[in-house]
Amino acid sequence: MRDVQIVPWNREEVLVISADNSGGIGEKEEDQVSVPYDIVSYFSFRVAVMECMAAGGIPFSVILQNFCGDDAWSPLVAGIHKGVQELGLEAELGITGSTESNFSFQQSAVGLTILGKRRANYKEKTIVNGRIAVIGSPLVGEEVMLQEEKIVPLAMFSHFAKEVKCRLQPVGSKGILYELGQLKGKLFQEEEVSSYVDLLKSSGPATCFIVEYEKEVESEIMRLAGGYFHEVLISP
């Protein structure tokens, strides 16, 4: 299961639509987490674009919904541009959107939608007797700013999506155990799965992702992931 919507487009392609939003995170006095707006939009972009790419989509448009005020627009766009540059998609990925400027709010709020496309005959990679790992670490709130070195780089995720024979599942606020169930199509109990990373903790703005792969590519995956690699074991 994927957090995307697939919409038929023409005989050759379908649209892959993903989205993310955040509230109470930003530069307003009443925000629960205080961070610059370019950071807010960068991580919101990460979540949505990783969901799109994990489903086989090639992103081509970003739609930004800004409820933080007119002054926030430029830094929000700057944060998206940072993510676009990490993916090397400056020429392909356009940005549009809207700002609520008639009314002001006590807390920040941002919505972001990614439009992507993929082949109509696309089939997800088949993994038989696959192994599981988490790349990166689950972080949330202020941890995202304080433990940046544990966040998997967006460019690394992109390389996995394009070049490695594997299946990917970004991990969000519901944690690794939940997303593992989404990837495998079944509900796991905590005692069935073990890892050195916290399986129940929120991964906030997709600071890590799950990879399922065949044994023969494990050395390549471990080499690419380096210190971000965390093995996950599932009981028979």
Side-chain angles (χ1 to χ4, degrees):
M1 297 178 65
R2 298 293 186 187
D3 248 353
V4 298
Q5 184 179 25
I6 307 299
V7 180
W9 184 245
N10 55 43
R11 291 184 178 180
E12 290 76 32
E13 296 175 319
V14 299
L15 295 181
V16 181
I17 304 172
S18 57
D20 185 65
N21 59 66
S22 64
I25 304 172
E27 299 179 14
K28 293 181 179 288
E29 289 187 10
E30 298 297 322
D31 285 335
Q32 296 180 31
V33 180
S34 179
V35 294
Y37 284 129
D38 62 324
I39 301 298
V40 174
S41 61
Y42 169 75
F43 281 103
S44 189
F45 173 78
R46 271 182 62 104
V47 173
V49 81
M50 288 169 74
E51 290 285 0
C52 179
M53 295 177 71
I58 300 172
F60 66 87
S61 183
V62 183
I63 304 168
L64 171 64
Q65 305 294 343
N66 168 33
F67 299 91
C68 306
D70 288 323
D71 292 342
W73 178 262
S74 291
L76 287 170
V77 170
I80 296 171
H81 273 302
K82 178 185 176 183
V84 171
Q85 290 170 356
E86 289 183 18
L87 293 172
L89 293 175
E90 296 94 326
E92 294 88 356
L93 198 51
I95 302 173
T96 187
S98 178
T99 295
E100 170 56 79
S101 55
N102 292 312
F103 300 96
S104 59
F105 301 90
Q106 298 300 311
Q107 291 182 306
S108 301
V110 173
L112 191 144
T113 302
I114 299 285
L115 301 181
K117 56 186 177 181
R118 77 182 189 193
R119 300 185 313 276
N121 61 355
Y122 171 87
K123 292 184 179 180
E124 193 165 32
K125 297 179 179 71
T126 300
I127 306 296
V128 181
N129 297 321
R131 298 189 175 191
I132 300 290
V134 170
I135 313 299
S137 298
L139 303 171
V140 67
E142 293 184 352
E143 292 176 336
V144 176
M145 300 297 294
L146 298 175
Q147 302 180 49
E148 187 176 356
E149 74 282 357
K150 295 182 180 180
I151 301 172
V152 63
L154 192 52
M156 181 180 292
F157 177 86
S158 177
H159 185 82
F160 271 81
K162 295 177 181 179
E163 306 295 340
V164 182
K165 184 182 178 182
C166 61
R167 297 176 67 212
L168 305 176
Q169 184 81 13
V171 181
S173 59
K174 294 182 179 179
I176 294 167
L177 191 66
Y178 171 83
E179 297 293 355
L180 180 60
Q182 295 293 97
L183 180 68
K184 300 291 286 181
K186 61 171 291 186
L187 179 65
F188 288 98
Q189 301 300 318
E190 186 178 358
E191 59 271 16
E192 295 180 275
V193 185
S194 61
S195 179
Y196 286 112
V197 291
D198 191 332
L199 299 171
L200 302 180
K201 182 180 179 182
S202 169
S203 183
T207 57
C208 65
F209 65 90
I210 299 169
V211 57
E212 182 182 25
Y213 57 91
E214 302 282 10
K215 179 181 178 181
E216 57 264 27
V217 299
E218 184 169 60
S219 60
E220 178 188 5
I221 285 177
M222 293 181 69
R223 177 183 61 80
L224 291 170
Y228 296 105
F229 182 92
H230 303 284
E231 186 179 20
V232 175
L233 299 176
I234 301 176
S235 300

